[in-house]
Amino acid sequence: MSRAFCIAVSCALAAHAANADAQPRTDPTAGRAVFTGATTPNATSIELNPAALDLGKNDEGYVAVTGVIDQLAIHTRTLDLMSGTLSPGPDVSTTTLAPGGMAAYVWHIQRIATLGFDLASVPVAAAPSGMAALQYHELALRERTYSGAIAASVRISDDILFGASISDNLRHLHLRYARDVALAQGHGPLADPQNTEIVDVDVHQTSLFSSENLRVNLGLVVQVVKDVFVGVAYHTVPGVDSVTNAYTGNMVVQPAPAGGGGLARGGAEVIVSEPASVDGEIRARLPAQLDLHVGVRWEDLSRFTAYDVRGYGTALTEIGEPEWTLRPLGYHDPVAVWAGVEQIDLGDVTPWRFGARIGAQKSAVPDAATSPLAVAPLSFTADVGVQLRVPYVPWVVQLTYGVQYFPTVHVANSVFDPRDAIDCAASGYDYSTQACASTRNGYAIDTAAGDYSRWEHAIRISLRYEH
């Protein structure tokens, strides 16, 4: 019985001071990327589809460094409260590098089962930092998960494999935004610096091991006919006994200059409803030593409509900070599909191996709900990969690169409308009105109208030791 070993690694790559748009909740370097997928015995299948692990032949140690580069350009618009007309505002152009890393251990117990273990750090979301033109939507957003998983794959028969894994996920969220205190009271002028306060929220999951941290991944792989495999996997939301997750920490508020006073500090809680997801793939042998890969992914993002921010403490109460604020995202369920070909892995017969895929993803946000926190229209993807087996040693190096293009979104009738806050106050806060419903749901803030253009680049560099 052979063994494999891996060492935990994290990627410490420097990011630009100005950062880009909120990223998808899933890792774009796994599943869609070349050499990964729901029927592929790659170490990423420990969480992607654990059933696929038993399709491999060698024990292995695996280390990967990942990065997601996001480019975002926004031609903003400003709204005149009296006339309701839009006029050109500042242009914003930002780029970010969000690093990540993974280490894994895969061990085949003859033909009985396969076990896998991994440690990973994945950037979940990031948004522009320090951009005054976007401040009422966000001044910073960083969300990251640190996880460890254990997986097992067993053969039910020669053609049917079942796998399951459970991962412990620790999340850290930093959210910073401006609040227009005059608008919150139902009057203008809009975006007056004297009436602008800055809210800084830093929260995380407090327990290293808790049922709220656990995510379960269940997978199945079936060989329909020789060299034709179908794989499907379901990923639960984090938390086996709850459909929401609460992160706790601190809130620091810099009061509006008109209100005076120094920093106010208190406790904070942010409640989120993370999505479940499903991955599927068909892998079929083609002539010329090629494999066809056709994949699909669905995410239950419609559950995750907003960051639900709660602040508490005497100092926050004294400055009139609201106890409850929604920072809306407006997601709906996206579906992504892709297809491509890869050379099959012939082991030491040939050192080089190549692959490529193309795909598309349904929008995750309606155009009208697009904001600096969520830019996700219908998009198109292209991924390529190259593998090298290093001569004379059992090392395999893989490099994959993917690009996702989001066609420009032109937002004229934004659901974010500050006039709703004024109308709600004028109604005496009658929450049966549309204006008060918009206010309650967090949309009665500065308009998000404008033109949004975005590109995302995803890179994974991995080193695998086989024996």
Side-chain angles (χ1 to χ4, degrees):
M1 181 184 301
S2 60
R3 297 177 182 270
F5 179 75
C6 70
I7 301 174
V9 65
S10 65
C11 177
L13 300 175
H16 294 285
N19 296 284
D21 170 66
Q23 299 169 27
R25 310 303 292 181
T26 51
D27 182 359
T29 71
R32 186 192 87 198
V34 177
F35 306 137
T36 69
T39 63
T40 304
N42 186 279
T44 56
S45 289
I46 291 172
E47 297 189 57
L48 183 68
N49 185 2
L53 293 174
D54 204 56
L55 294 174
K57 298 178 181 178
N58 299 313
D59 296 347
E60 64 181 47
Y62 179 93
V63 177
V65 172
T66 66
V68 178
I69 302 170
D70 225 316
Q71 296 176 296
L72 175 67
I74 308 174
H75 300 292
T76 67
R77 300 289 184 267
T78 59
L79 177 68
D80 183 276
L81 287 179
M82 298 299 294
S83 66
T85 58
L86 295 170
S87 58
D91 289 344
V92 174
S93 181
T94 65
T95 300
T96 190
L97 170 60
M102 175 185 176
Y105 168 107
V106 178
W107 176 25
H108 296 278
I109 307 175
Q110 298 183 16
R111 287 187 59 83
I112 301 172
T114 299
L115 301 180
F117 311 88
D118 78 18
L119 296 172
S121 174
V122 177
V124 177
S129 289
M131 298 292 174
L134 312 177
Q135 64 179 345
Y136 296 106
H137 293 275
E138 56 78 33
L139 281 167
L141 169 65
R142 297 292 177 274
E143 187 177 358
R144 175 175 291 274
T145 182
Y146 303 89
S147 67
I150 181 171
S153 174
V154 296
R155 286 186 175 269
I156 298 175
S157 70
D158 287 343
D159 297 323
I160 301 176
L161 291 81
F162 172 77
S165 66
I166 186 167
S167 61
D168 184 60
N169 297 266
L170 297 177
R171 288 185 183 264
H172 178 263
L173 170 65
H174 178 213
L175 181 61
R176 193 165 186 259
Y177 56 90
R179 192 173 76 92
D180 190 326
V181 295
L183 183 65
Q185 295 167 4
H187 59 81
L190 183 64
D192 183 350
Q194 291 298 307
N195 292 318
T196 299
E197 72 173 26
I198 306 299
V199 182
D200 195 287
V201 179
D202 198 298
V203 294
H204 59 277
Q205 287 165 304
T206 56
S207 299
L208 181 60
F209 298 104
S210 168
S211 61
E212 293 184 356
N213 304 349
L214 300 181
R215 180 193 294 270
V216 176
N217 309 287
L218 302 173
L220 189 70
V221 173
V222 178
Q223 183 172 224
V224 182
V225 295
K226 181 176 172 57
D227 294 326
V228 176
F229 298 89
V230 175
V232 62
Y234 174 70
H235 317 285
T236 70
V237 301
V240 297
D241 56 359
S242 176
V243 295
T244 62
N245 297 90
Y247 312 149
T248 58
N250 303 304
M251 177 181 288
V252 179
V253 178
Q254 179 182 322
L263 295 178
R265 304 177 185 274
E269 182 179 65
V270 178
I271 299 173
V272 298
S273 298
E274 294 288 352
S277 60
V278 175
D279 278 280
E281 185 179 59
I282 298 173
R283 174 162 62 94
R285 185 61 45 84
L286 299 176
Q289 303 295 327
L290 296 174
D291 270 347
L292 170 69
H293 290 257
V294 179
V296 61
R297 172 179 290 156
W298 166 80
E299 280 189 277
D300 186 18
L301 269 179
S302 57
R303 302 180 66 254
F304 187 42
T305 57
Y307 289 105
D308 184 339
V309 181
R310 316 288 177 95
Y312 51 89
T314 302
L316 299 180
T317 302
E318 289 177 349
I319 65 169
E321 189 65 24
E323 296 181 359
W324 173 63
T325 303
L326 289 180
R327 308 299 299 174
L329 296 164
Y331 285 132
H332 55 224
D333 295 357
V335 176
V337 295
W338 57 86
V341 294
E342 298 173 10
Q343 291 179 304
I344 65 173
D345 195 338
L346 297 176
D348 294 332
V349 174
T350 176
W352 293 97
R353 180 186 176 207
F354 300 92
R357 301 178 183 180
I358 58 172
Q361 179 170 301
K362 177 180 175 288
S363 73
V365 177
D367 288 356
T370 297
S371 74
L373 279 176
V375 183
L378 171 70
S379 59
F380 304 94
T381 61
D383 294 79
V384 294
V386 59
Q387 172 181 296
L388 171 64
R389 287 188 171 273
V390 182
Y392 309 115
V393 292
W395 293 100
V396 180
V397 180
Q398 289 183 343
L399 168 64
T400 63
Y401 165 76
V403 61
Q404 188 166 9
Y405 166 60
F406 300 82
T408 300
V409 182
H410 304 283
V411 182
N413 298 313
S414 175
V415 295
F416 294 89
D417 194 332
R419 294 172 295 180
D420 287 334
I422 297 172
D423 292 344
C424 180
S427 74
Y429 297 97
D430 179 359
Y431 282 96
S432 67
T433 65
Q434 184 277 330
C436 285
S438 177
T439 301
R440 181 180 61 247
N441 291 326
Y443 288 99
I445 60 175
D446 192 23
T447 182
D451 302 326
Y452 294 76
S453 300
R454 180 184 175 198
W455 292 81
E456 181 186 84
H457 311 267
I459 302 168
R460 174 178 287 262
I461 303 171
S462 65
L463 179 64
R464 190 169 77 241
Y465 175 74
E466 296 181 342
H467 66 101

